[in-house]
Amino acid sequence: MELNEEQQLNQIKTNLETVKKRIAETCIKMGREPSSVRLLPVTKTVPAERLRIAHAAGCHEMGENKIQEAREKSEVLSDLNIKWSIIGHLQTNKARYLARFANEFQALDSLKLAGELDKRLQKEGRAIDVYVQVNSSGETSKFGLAPDDVRDFVMQLPNYSSLRIKGLMTLAIFSTEHDRVRACFVRMREIQAMLRQEAPAELLFDELSMGMSGDYELASEEGATVVRVGQAIFGKRPLPDSHYWPGVG
Ligand SMILES: *Cc1c(COP(=O)(O)O)cnc(C)c1O
């Protein structure tokens, strides 16, 4: 049965509260401040009309995996004050679209892209928050830098003044074995600690974006400062995950 608008609003509010409560409980258990974890709602495949309702329910930031979908929604919803975060791999030739409207990019994985994005942002007179994506699971299906390559990579980033480097992003292994998922998050924390010692001082690595609907509590236990949650807020997606991550799902 189709829910009417009010029912949809209440459903999204309830789901948001549940996720926030679980994050807060995890933080308290770990001796962390609940406000130290930012919940980024992930809105891919959710139609724009439903995002109006989500906005009314309190979602003022939205994470999208694909630039084309994000761009269309940002145009349709331009009357609302929404901060758009692009959390998926970006082809260099699409950097100009991102530079026009996104507030944040969480999937930086090449210097070529950094250069193009910086150039396009300069043209727009803008700067955005950026996270370097790391492939913490080593799966070939995942984007991101190999952990061993991160240090050399970030040494180049001060060259791109429109990219405000904030931290690291990862997708953990998709596994029902908690230990394997946790190992990815622990690895990220270790890379973060290394960068805080060794990266150029103007780059900040305060943020760790990790954890999704299935593992955001585990990620919060291991130091996530951003969790990217879609299905736990908006319900199960019609498209399989292989649409986003080749080789999965
Ligand atoms: C879709 C997506 C998420 C959220 O996944 P859910 O299972 O819906 O919580 C997080 N990160 C990225 C990069 C995504 O593409």
Side-chain angles (χ1 to χ4, degrees):
M1 200 190 70
E2 286 271 301
L3 299 182
N4 69 28
E5 271 196 27
E6 194 189 332
Q7 289 167 325
Q8 290 186 50
L9 179 74
N10 287 333
Q11 191 186 52
I12 294 171
K13 275 188 181 164
T14 304
N15 291 347
L16 276 171
E17 276 163 25
T18 303
V19 174
K20 282 185 184 159
K21 185 161 163 271
R22 291 197 178 148
I23 293 170
E25 283 168 359
T26 306
C27 284
I28 289 162
K29 183 177 83 182
M30 301 305 290
R32 297 185 66 188
E33 203 44 62
S35 63
S36 66
V37 181
R38 166 183 154 215
L39 171 59
L40 174 63
V42 174
T43 50
K44 67 191 188 206
T45 76
V46 182
E49 316 85 75
R50 203 153 170 250
L51 294 188
R52 279 195 184 277
I53 301 172
H55 184 263
C59 297
H60 297 153
E61 303 186 273
M62 299 190 184
E64 287 281 341
N65 185 295
K66 292 188 183 289
I67 188 70
Q68 181 59 23
E69 183 177 341
R71 197 179 150 207
E72 285 166 17
K73 287 174 178 171
S74 77
E75 279 165 19
V76 177
L77 301 173
S78 61
D79 56 313
L80 302 177
N81 193 5
I82 295 170
K83 290 196 166 127
W84 296 97
S85 177
I86 305 302
I87 59 175
H89 179 72
L90 185 74
Q91 286 174 295
T92 304
N93 63 7
K94 306 261 170 70
R96 63 184 186 279
Y97 302 124
L98 192 150
R100 282 181 204 145
F101 73 93
N103 296 88
E104 179 175 90
F105 178 48
Q106 292 204 358
L108 184 65
D109 59 2
S110 86
L111 289 177
K112 193 166 151 231
L113 177 59
E116 183 64 16
L117 202 49
D118 186 52
K119 189 176 95 186
R120 298 290 176 172
L121 284 162
Q122 306 257 358
K123 246 187 209 161
E124 302 283 336
R126 303 181 65 226
I128 61 169
D129 293 346
V130 172
Y131 293 57
V132 175
Q133 184 171 356
V134 179
N135 183 352
S136 59
S137 70
E139 294 165 289
T140 51
S141 61
K142 298 233 166 80
F143 290 109
L145 296 163
D148 287 346
D149 297 338
V150 176
R151 188 182 174 282
D152 287 350
F153 180 82
V154 308
M155 293 302 167
Q156 306 300 317
L157 295 181
N159 297 330
Y160 309 108
S161 59
S162 298
L163 310 184
R164 292 189 299 246
I165 304 299
K166 294 288 180 183
L168 304 172
M169 183 276 241
T170 201
L171 288 133
I173 192 167
F174 292 109
S175 170
T176 51
E177 292 169 54
H178 281 189
D179 289 352
R180 299 181 71 192
V181 177
R182 192 186 294 278
C184 294
F185 297 144
V186 169
R187 189 150 201 205
M188 293 298 291
R189 217 178 44 216
E190 289 166 358
I191 297 168
Q192 180 191 37
M194 178 275 290
L195 292 175
R196 281 177 155 166
Q197 295 287 321
E198 300 185 24
E202 62 266 49
L203 307 179
L204 294 179
F205 286 96
D206 292 340
E207 307 291 343
L208 272 186
S209 174
M210 53 190 200
M212 311 175 17
S213 291
D215 57 14
Y216 67 86
E217 288 162 288
L218 209 52
S220 303
E221 283 182 16
E222 295 299 341
T225 64
V226 183
V227 293
R228 309 176 308 269
V229 178
Q231 297 179 91
I233 300 171
F234 298 108
K236 211 169 150 36
R237 269 188 301 278
L239 286 166
D241 279 343
S242 55
H243 182 68
Y244 296 93
W245 305 294
V248 173

